[in-house]
Amino acid sequence: MSDPGSTGDLDAVVHDAAEVVVGPAEGAGAEAGAPPPQADELLERHEDAAVAVVDGRVAAAGPTEAVTREYPPENAAEAVDAAGGAVIPGFVDAHTHALFAGDRSDEFEAKLRGKTYEDILAEGGGILRTVGAVRAADDGTLLSNLLTHLDRMLAAGTTTVEVKSGYGLDVETELRMLDVIDRADRRHPVDVVPTFMGAHAVPEGLDSGEYVDRVVEDQIPAVADQGIARFCDVFCEEGVFSVEESRRVLAAGAEAGMAPKVHAEELTHLGGTQLAAEVGATSADHLLHATDEDVSALREAGVTPVLLPGTAFGLGAEYADARRFLDGASWDGAAPVAVATDFNPNCYSRAMGFAASLSCVEMGMTPAESVLATTRGGAAALDLDDGRGTLGEGAPADLAVLSAPSHRYVPYNFGETTVRTVLKEGERVHG
Ligand code: NIG
Ligand code: FE
């Protein structure tokens, strides 16, 4: 441990935690064909532990006695008594469509009565309905909607979130959405990572090929000029954008400096996963209908798979099997899988804890794996390599203190959050 005086300001000391989860243990991974590993094989964690934060970064995480001897809480700008709760890295929610307007709660009911997502979209509902509401909303409304969602995410332990555009489908509204996402990022403690998703749906009056021309020729150059979006995503799906159309969008996005992401095999199997591998996408997301070959292709190409169990829950669809992504894969330097909320009007949950619960009960993860997938996994899916999603030395001190003694409570305690206090870069921002 280094001398705090020589390294900067002691921002915070979180002490007397029952457990501090630092991140993946060295050599963490799951053997193919063997039972899933125990928490201690997967997690670097300490019991009766503390975290010290210097200049917004983790300076030390370890036994309370050792950490507080070096970094006395009384010298810290913020002393947080974890009071026997667990401390985990803040969640990194790597897939949301959290900026929208309007109300689609009636579609939830229509789906319960047997309508499919595709039926609703074909009738002008779904994404296109939200497009109408977003085009009609002023910037102030959009910003205040997003800030409200970010408040709720933060209170449930999320400290970094990706937000996609894609409810504009024209140059003006796509730029407006990205601008609001950027303003929310500056205004709110949660870090917001912006993704351009002009290719989210085909607007009325055009066919998909004609609309892809508009995305490639008009939207992508304007978005590149604006300089906000980090990623370019596409809904590669039967009846939306073909593999060939998706390839065009991603190539133009990459040329303009936006790394590719793909909504792949969500409702049907079309080939978006192989495309993600081919173009070296940062992530391939959904994957409900991915095959074994798809899973291998992602692994070989170093594409992070992002599973979104809330979407399957909301659609009443079959869940992805997380073991196919985890078994035989290692957490060393990479992440075999991420889990995110997919928060959007069709999947109305902002809580990463609920996604973790579904990951365990419906997708076969262990609690330790679900915690890694919602923290370190999310960071990998956003290509954030500053230690985010862990509490390793030097990582941004983004953390959640739980009102429960173990990381297991993240998935175990469903339907409510166990998060009591949140620190963002060492500053108390919730609780
Ligand atoms: O990830 N699949 C496309 N996009 C979203 C749904 C967006 C919406 O229905 O508004 C998704 O599920
Ligand atoms: Fe999505």
Side-chain angles (χ1 to χ4, degrees), residues 36 320-323 326-327 358-367 369:
D321 174 4
R323 298 256 49 99
L326 287 161
D327 290 341
L358 293 175
S359 300
C360 294
V361 176
E362 301 286 3
M363 302 201 303
M365 287 193 186
T366 66
E369 286 169 336

Side-chain angles (χ1 to χ4, degrees), residues 368-379:
E369 286 169 336
S370 77
V371 169
L372 289 180
T374 48
T375 53
R376 170 73 194 110

Side-chain angles (χ1 to χ4, degrees), residues 246-324:
S246 302
R247 185 183 283 115
R248 268 191 77 200
V249 169
L250 297 178
E255 201 155 309
M258 292 176 268
K261 281 179 168 284
V262 188
H263 277 62
E265 336 300 359
E266 177 179 357
L267 306 168
T268 58
H269 185 273
L270 193 69
T273 314
Q274 294 292 340
L275 175 64
E278 172 196 316
V279 303
T282 306
S283 71
D285 303 42
H286 284 291
L287 306 171
L288 297 183
H289 300 275
T291 63
D292 288 344
E293 292 71 46
D294 293 339
V295 175
S296 312
L298 293 181
R299 208 175 281 183
E300 272 160 38
V303 180
T304 305
V306 180
L307 304 183
L308 304 158
T311 314
F313 179 82
L315 291 171
E318 229 175 276
Y319 292 80
D321 174 4
R323 298 256 49 99
R324 297 161 73 207

